[in-house]
Amino acid sequence: MSAVAHLVDTSASAEAEQTDGFHLVIDALKLNGIETIYGVPGIPITDLGRMCQAEGIRVVSFRHEQNAGNAAAIAGFLTKKPGICLTVSAPGFLNGLTALANATTNCFPMILISGSSEREIVDLQQGDYEEMDQLAIAKPLCKAAFRVLHAADIGIGVARAIRAAVSGRPGGVYLDLPAKLFSQVMDAEAGAKSLVKVIDAAPAQIPAPSAITRALEELKNAKRPLIVLGKGAAYAQADDLVRDLVEKSGIPYVPMSMAKGLLPDTHPLSAGAARSTALKDSDVVLLVGARLNWLLSHGKGKTWGEPGSKRFIQIDIEPREMDSNVEIVAPVVGDIGSCVSALLDGMAKGWTAPPADWIETLRTKREANVAKMAPKLMKNTSPMDFHSALGALRTVIKERPDAILVNEGANTLDLARGVIDMYQPRKRLDVGTWGVMGIGMGFAVAAAIETGKPVLAVEGDSAFGFSGMEVETICRYNLPVCIVIFNNNGIYRGTDTDPTGRDPGTTVFVPGSRYDKMMEAFGGVGVNVTTPDELKRAVDAAMDSGKPTLINAEIDPAAGSESGNIGSLNPQSVVKKKK
Ligand code: ADP
Ligand code: MG
């Protein structure tokens, strides 16, 4: 007799109350404080979604799994609890997998729960409905992957998934639930006992005192110290400690994109607007939850000045991050709250602020850069260019610092990151480590649901296309999301042509597209704007009303550069073809 047959054979205890796989999954999630699930319904998880909703879990249904997955991932970033994405088997699972891989790359805690087809048929490759060995496919793309075959193991399976997602370096976890599992029956009391409430899912990781002493020695000897705050520092929710570290040490800091607002970008010690000088001329750099990956030029090259001019200290929860690109002279392994708190204790025993000329150099550079940018942001031109449109949005966020800014695109991303100052932690959500397009509407939905704050999604017209259908989701759940499309008729610019004259150029879209009409189709508000003043008024109206709104902002098709700020990553052909 198989284990499954045993579970459904209830003749011996016909009176005993029973439970099943559906209920055990729901109970396990609820027991662990999961309040919201993002997903797309279908075989075999349609009833699971319905039952979750009936049991009080909020279920947000999307139009495509990748967007649901991105929503779950950013919910994880915002809350430090794993964001849950629920999908159907094979194709739905694969759609969600992109988001799971992206979450893992970004260190966001997320669990992708996918229904799957019958193991016996899948393993013999006999051609089941949506046949696919999902567990094997997920494994290399996430932090951990589990499959549950018996109802009695659901509690343990969910517990392992949660702990794997949030402990240590957070990341994506895959949980495979075969269709048969949901209707497996077991004794309700035994079922309840099988559930596991995860205790201390992300335990504090205290740094070694010797590592703290070593780091402080390096900082004390520095003439031109710099702190780089990364999104790990934002994730850690140790906001007061991070602010104290900067202010008590007097060390200037540069925030990575999603760490903007951890301290207000207008802070006197912010060297964000003097980033190049700060990276190039510093002598000791303290990385706080930031990796020395491509976004920081791997810690070497022109960006970092003379070879050998830099000593790096790194705070990270992942020991293997140390020395990943260059030598780390003072590794501090632990969670950011514990590490920063230990550094502050050490500094309290004696500390001298860094030399005044270094602070002054950065301040002067920053003021010069800000002054150079200012006139570009104030032009009330039509058609708008990126700067004049962003100037308007910069004011919006200044006036509404608790709004959440979602941002993707090429020029729309790179320029917005520099222009729009952030004032509060975890208010800027963007393309992250991969620089991936398509996070926009998923992030916007989850940001609205998880925080209850207004969301401003600033989207390139191309970037928006990857998740644009979710405007229906935004309208359906009546979320306070205002989308602004920077519409320059194309990818990078709207001016490309097909040299043969046959087709449109590869990077252009329909000229004069009216994305605002998409929102109207679902009962939201659509507005078309051509000047920064109109743009500002339309966003203010959207934010005041809280109504789902899409603003089509007409941008000069000739504005924008290839690949935004990272055009140098494009390979160039060296072959000259004869005509
Ligand atoms: P950014 O792109 O902003 O530089 P990264 O994603 O490169 O940020 O780096 C984030 C780093 O933060 C990762 O190396 C991750 O291990 C680390 N991290 C995440 N959460 C914590 C935490 N609670 N404590 C310490 N380090 C953390
Ligand atoms: Mg564009």
Side-chain angles (χ1 to χ4, degrees):
M1 186 162 68
S2 78
V4 175
H6 172 75
L7 286 170
V8 288
D9 176 14
T10 55
S11 52
S13 54
E15 301 305 305
E17 217 185 310
Q18 294 190 318
T19 187
D20 63 12
F22 284 111
H23 287 96
L24 287 165
V25 171
I26 295 165
D27 292 347
L29 293 173
K30 283 178 74 171
L31 181 66
N32 284 290
I34 302 296
E35 290 160 1
T36 308
I37 290 177
Y38 302 91
V40 178
I43 297 172
I45 49 89
T46 312
D47 267 350
L48 181 65
R50 286 195 187 107
M51 291 162 76
C52 281
Q53 193 172 47
E55 297 280 338
I57 295 181
R58 192 158 192 204
V59 180
V60 183
S61 289
F62 282 71
R63 305 299 294 261
H64 189 286
E65 291 87 353
Q66 189 176 123
N67 306 319
N70 284 325
I74 209 67
F77 171 75
L78 289 168
T79 63
K80 293 182 94 174
K81 287 200 285 191
I84 310 286
C85 175
L86 183 62
T87 81
V88 303
S89 34
F93 153 78
L94 287 174
N95 287 344
L97 200 54
T98 306
L100 186 71
N102 188 52
T104 308
T105 300
N106 280 282
C107 318
F108 298 157
M110 163 186 175
I111 303 173
L112 176 67
I113 302 180
S114 294
S116 59
S117 302
E118 298 316 332
R119 285 257 41 90
E120 294 82 349
I121 306 179
V122 172
D123 288 347
L124 277 170
Q125 298 180 29
Q126 293 174 314
D128 203 2
Y129 166 76
E130 297 191 347
E131 174 177 297
M132 176 172 278
D133 188 357
Q134 297 171 198
L135 185 70
I137 290 165
K139 258 181 197 162
L141 295 172
C142 59
K143 191 177 166 190
F146 306 103
R147 177 189 289 135
V148 183
L149 291 178
H150 302 298
D153 292 332
I154 287 173
I156 286 291
V158 169
R160 297 209 74 188
I162 291 172
R163 198 178 280 285
V166 297
S167 61
R169 169 182 279 174
V173 175
Y174 176 59
L175 188 61
D176 191 273
L177 303 182
K180 259 191 206 165
L181 179 76
F182 295 111
S183 38
Q184 272 184 36
V185 175
M186 70 183 282
D187 173 73
E189 208 186 306
K193 280 198 190 126
S194 72
L195 300 182
V196 176
K197 186 169 164 55
V198 180
I199 308 296
D200 196 14
Q205 286 183 220
I206 315 290
S210 59
I212 295 297
T213 310
R214 195 184 295 121
L216 284 170
E217 267 325 293
E218 290 290 339
L219 283 175
K220 280 180 189 160
N221 292 333
K223 304 222 161 33
R224 297 177 307 283
L226 179 70
I227 294 174
V228 176
L229 299 176
K231 61 175 151 356
Y235 174 78
Q237 296 194 18
D239 306 338
D240 293 349
L241 289 167
V242 170
R243 197 191 54 230
D244 279 359
L245 175 70
V246 170
E247 292 183 342
K248 297 207 165 130
S249 70
I251 300 176
Y253 72 96
V254 167
M256 299 300 287
S257 191
M258 282 177 61
K260 276 165 70 78
L262 215 41
L263 289 86
D265 281 332
T266 48
H267 194 283
L269 285 167
S270 168
R275 188 177 192 270
S276 309
T277 308
L279 300 190
K280 189 160 67 58
D281 292 344
S282 53
D283 62 350
V284 175
V285 180
L286 169 60
L287 301 158
V288 185
R291 286 171 287 185
L292 282 176
N293 54 20
W294 71 283
L295 288 158
L296 283 169
S297 308
H298 305 283
K300 28 189 183 191
K302 279 201 302 269
T303 310
W304 293 95
E306 292 299 309
S309 67
K310 222 64 62 179
R311 294 176 73 78
F312 287 103
I313 308 166
Q314 183 161 29
I315 301 181
D316 206 291
I317 203 157
E318 172 57 64
R320 288 177 302 172
E321 186 57 37
M322 306 300 159
D323 309 320
S324 60
N325 286 268
V326 293
E327 179 190 24
I328 302 298
V329 298
V332 183
V333 175
D335 72 276
I336 284 164
S338 303
C339 294
V340 171
S341 156
L343 285 177
L344 284 165
D345 289 348
M347 279 166 40
K349 294 181 196 137
W351 180 258
T352 337
D357 59 340
W358 170 235
I359 309 294
E360 190 52 27
T361 305
L362 293 178
R363 198 180 58 81
T364 313
K365 186 72 196 165
R366 162 185 168 166
E367 281 170 10
N369 285 348
V370 168
K372 204 159 75 190
M373 180 80 88
K376 289 193 200 167
L377 303 179
M378 282 168 356
K379 277 191 287 182
N380 196 32
T381 49
S382 178
M384 293 182 275
D385 59 18
F386 286 93
H387 283 97
S388 57
L390 286 169
L393 300 181
R394 175 184 212 258
T395 311
V396 169
I397 294 296
K398 188 174 180 183
E399 292 169 356
R400 303 169 190 267
D402 69 339
I404 295 189
L405 178 70
V406 172
N407 189 199
E408 63 176 334
N411 293 278
T412 307
L413 174 89
D414 288 337
L415 296 172
R417 188 193 314 118
V419 168
I420 302 180
D421 285 334
M422 304 305 298
Y423 302 87
Q424 295 178 13
R426 294 172 295 284
K427 299 296 187 188
R428 186 184 156 83
L429 310 176
D430 68 26
V431 302
T433 308
W434 268 347
V436 69
M437 296 296 119
I439 49 89
M441 297 304 103
F443 278 18
V445 168
I449 298 238
E450 299 290 336
T451 70
K453 303 281 185 213
V455 176
L456 176 63
V458 179
E459 302 270 317
D461 51 346
S462 155
F464 173 70
F466 289 84
S467 65
M469 191 64 214
E470 304 299 344
V471 293
E472 189 275 330
T473 309
I474 290 168
C475 289
R476 184 164 19 106
Y477 288 87
N478 194 25
L479 299 173
V481 174
C482 172
I483 305 156
V484 177
I485 310 283
F486 274 38
N487 187 356
N488 66 347
N489 287 349
I491 302 172
Y492 312 134
R493 323 154 57 87
T495 52
D496 244 11
T497 53
D498 174 355
T500 70
R502 182 173 52 190
D503 286 320
T506 55
T507 61
V508 301
F509 299 139
V510 172
S513 296
R514 289 288 300 275
Y515 293 96
D516 48 312
K517 306 266 186 204
M518 285 176 69
M519 205 61 161
E520 289 173 356
F522 304 109
V525 178
V527 191
N528 188 64
V529 302
T530 58
T531 68
D533 285 350
E534 282 173 20
L535 173 58
K536 170 82 168 47
R537 274 198 299 277
V539 176
D540 279 336
M543 300 284 236
D544 288 340
S545 72
K547 286 191 192 137
T549 301
L550 193 154
I551 301 166
N552 185 61
E554 290 184 22
I555 306 284
D556 184 353
S561 52
E562 180 97 357
S563 306
N565 284 356
I566 54 173
S568 62
L569 297 182
N570 284 314
Q572 304 284 316
S573 170
V574 290
V575 177
K576 290 259 179 302
K577 200 133 182 259
K578 289 201 197 85
K579 286 265 157 63

